[in-house]
Amino acid sequence: MISIPLPFVVSLFLITILVQMIRRAEGQLRESRFFLLLIGAYALQSVLIGIRWGYDTRAIMPAQAVLATVIPPLAWLSFRSLAAEGNGPSWLLISAQFLPACLVTLLLIVWPDPVGPVITLVFLGYGAALVWMARLGPDSLVASRLDGAVRSYRSLQVTAFAILGSAVTDVVISYDFASTGGRYSASIIAAVNMISLLVLGAAASVTSANTASDPSETADEPAEVALIATEEDSRIAANVDSLMRSRELYRDVDLNLAKIARRLHLPARQVSNAINRIHGMSVSQYVNNFRVMAACLLLESTDDPVTRIVFDAGFQTKSNFNREFLRVTGQSPTAWRQMHRQPPSNVARLERKAAS
């Protein structure tokens, strides 16, 4: 019987995710390009791991080392593209992220000894950069669809700690070589890399699905965060509220924080801070409150199926719709419809609650 290393199976799974992402992206491949490259790098790395440890092919190690220094920068660029209000990272910034791979390639040629520590430092540095990016919460991913901003943020956190975990694993392996001659290293590397690649692949896929962009958006510096609401915050929050009610902007399934900020000609961070301080919630929760209110009206006044109401109200997935509906109303959509189909509507009360 032919033995197929498990990393090859992981690679096949990641390639399947990659194909699904490409089909799902359709005409928006540019917006998802970094996530697509990231998944491709994960799949290739899994193949290299299978060749190295499944068939004890040491000749593959240099390619594995170089690719290892490409993955963290790609992960950072992927989430950086969601945290930028403009057209994403510049080509100069993108090019700079491949300097670690160039350095490792040069070291492999002239002085291989420090390659291991350099790779560990790359993972530590980019892992810390991703943690720093996540410090501002879901609203930091201004180009992510609001319907999936929380999931994108969770994926950012998972990616950050997985990359940091890879750096810690490298330290553990170094200790194993120093103390036991590397007795357990093969098992540690195979297990950790397979788990990490699977988790990271799933995280990148989820986040890519929530990518939405507008090429006319312009970048601004983030505003300083104050402890209390200001008159300016009240004015901005009132303008956002007016925009939601008069234009029903919340019905756009591709709506993101950057689009809202562009309508107001303000930096996204300033809009986010105003909503946070005035309403005590994230922008995604604020917008989803309007969506839930619209869904309540549709549930009461029409016989439309819930699956249609999900999209009419501005949600992209039924799972997120159900979760947000329960958060706002304390009931499932079906229970709400049964309770409020005939009696007078409770929507006005819920609207006041959503805006408070």
Side-chain angles (χ1 to χ4, degrees):
M1 179 180 291
I2 299 176
S3 176
I4 301 177
L6 190 55
F8 289 171
V9 179
V10 174
S11 180
L12 181 60
F13 172 75
L14 292 169
I15 291 172
T16 302
I17 291 179
L18 180 61
V19 171
Q20 290 175 343
M21 287 170 62
I22 293 174
R23 289 177 177 175
R24 190 170 57 203
E26 295 180 355
Q28 295 183 323
L29 289 177
R30 185 178 183 278
E31 288 79 1
S32 304
R33 65 190 185 279
F34 292 121
F35 285 103
L36 294 173
L37 289 172
L38 185 59
I39 295 288
Y42 290 153
L44 179 57
Q45 185 72 307
S46 187
V47 170
L48 296 181
I49 291 171
I51 294 173
R52 167 64 183 91
W53 298 104
Y55 301 106
D56 194 24
T57 307
R58 295 178 179 272
I60 206 72
M61 292 178 66
Q64 195 176 347
V66 173
L67 184 57
T69 54
V70 171
I71 287 177
L74 273 179
W76 184 82
L77 284 171
S78 297
F79 287 99
R80 174 67 175 74
S81 66
L82 292 184
E85 294 182 56
N87 293 322
S90 65
W91 280 110
L92 180 61
L93 182 61
I94 294 171
S95 301
Q97 306 315 309
F98 293 95
L99 290 177
C102 295
L103 174 60
V104 167
T105 301
L106 180 62
L107 288 174
L108 286 169
I109 296 172
V110 301
W111 187 28
D113 290 347
V115 167
V118 168
I119 293 175
T120 301
L121 288 174
V122 169
F123 273 79
L124 283 173
Y126 279 98
L130 288 168
V131 170
W132 179 254
M133 189 185 299
R135 78 193 189 282
L136 299 175
D139 288 346
S140 62
L141 304 178
V142 298
S144 177
R145 292 188 179 98
L146 291 175
D147 188 35
V150 173
R151 284 176 295 169
S152 296
Y153 177 66
R154 298 295 179 227
S155 297
L156 168 59
Q157 291 178 310
V158 167
T159 301
F161 288 110
I163 288 177
L164 287 173
S166 295
V168 173
T169 301
D170 289 341
V171 174
V172 171
I173 291 171
S174 298
Y175 175 78
D176 179 52
F177 270 101
S179 59
T180 68
R183 182 187 305 172
Y184 306 106
S185 294
S187 299
I188 294 172
I189 291 172
V192 170
N193 276 283
M194 282 190 299
I195 293 172
S196 296
L197 290 172
L198 279 170
V199 171
L200 289 169
S205 175
V206 167
T207 308
S208 177
N210 298 323
T211 302
S213 66
D214 189 329
S216 62
E217 291 163 4
T218 56
D220 288 288
E221 293 297 320
E224 294 293 326
V225 178
L227 297 178
I228 58 175
T230 64
E231 291 185 6
E232 180 69 6
D233 292 330
S234 299
R235 184 186 64 80
I236 293 173
N239 288 339
V240 175
D241 189 74
S242 176
L243 193 63
M244 290 296 162
R245 295 180 186 278
S246 62
R247 303 289 182 86
E248 295 188 338
L249 202 60
Y250 55 85
R251 293 187 186 274
D252 178 6
V253 295
D254 291 331
L255 185 64
N256 57 38
L257 174 57
K259 285 185 177 181
I260 298 174
R262 184 175 61 85
R263 290 291 188 97
L264 299 174
H265 305 288
L266 292 170
R269 180 54 49 194
Q270 191 173 354
V271 175
S272 172
N273 288 341
I275 298 298
N276 296 161
R277 296 167 190 151
I278 298 298
H279 298 293
M281 62 183 71
S282 67
V283 175
S284 61
Q285 288 177 320
Y286 171 79
V287 171
N288 284 339
N289 282 358
F290 281 96
R291 290 169 170 168
V292 170
M293 294 306 103
C296 287
L297 287 172
L298 292 171
L299 287 168
E300 290 185 29
S301 59
T302 73
D303 293 319
D304 292 345
V306 174
T307 50
R308 177 177 176 179
I309 291 175
V310 168
F311 300 106
D312 287 345
F315 287 97
Q316 191 181 38
T317 63
K318 188 176 180 181
S319 60
N320 195 40
F321 168 71
N322 289 334
R323 181 172 58 252
E324 290 297 293
F325 197 95
L326 181 63
R327 175 182 66 83
V328 176
T329 68
Q331 295 178 298
S332 68
T334 302
W336 172 272
R337 170 171 269 171
Q338 290 174 348
M339 180 176 292
H340 297 85
R341 194 70 174 89
Q342 297 302 327
S345 173
N346 250 356
V347 173
R349 176 179 60 79
L350 285 170
E351 285 181 339
R352 289 194 296 271
K353 176 184 175 182
S356 63

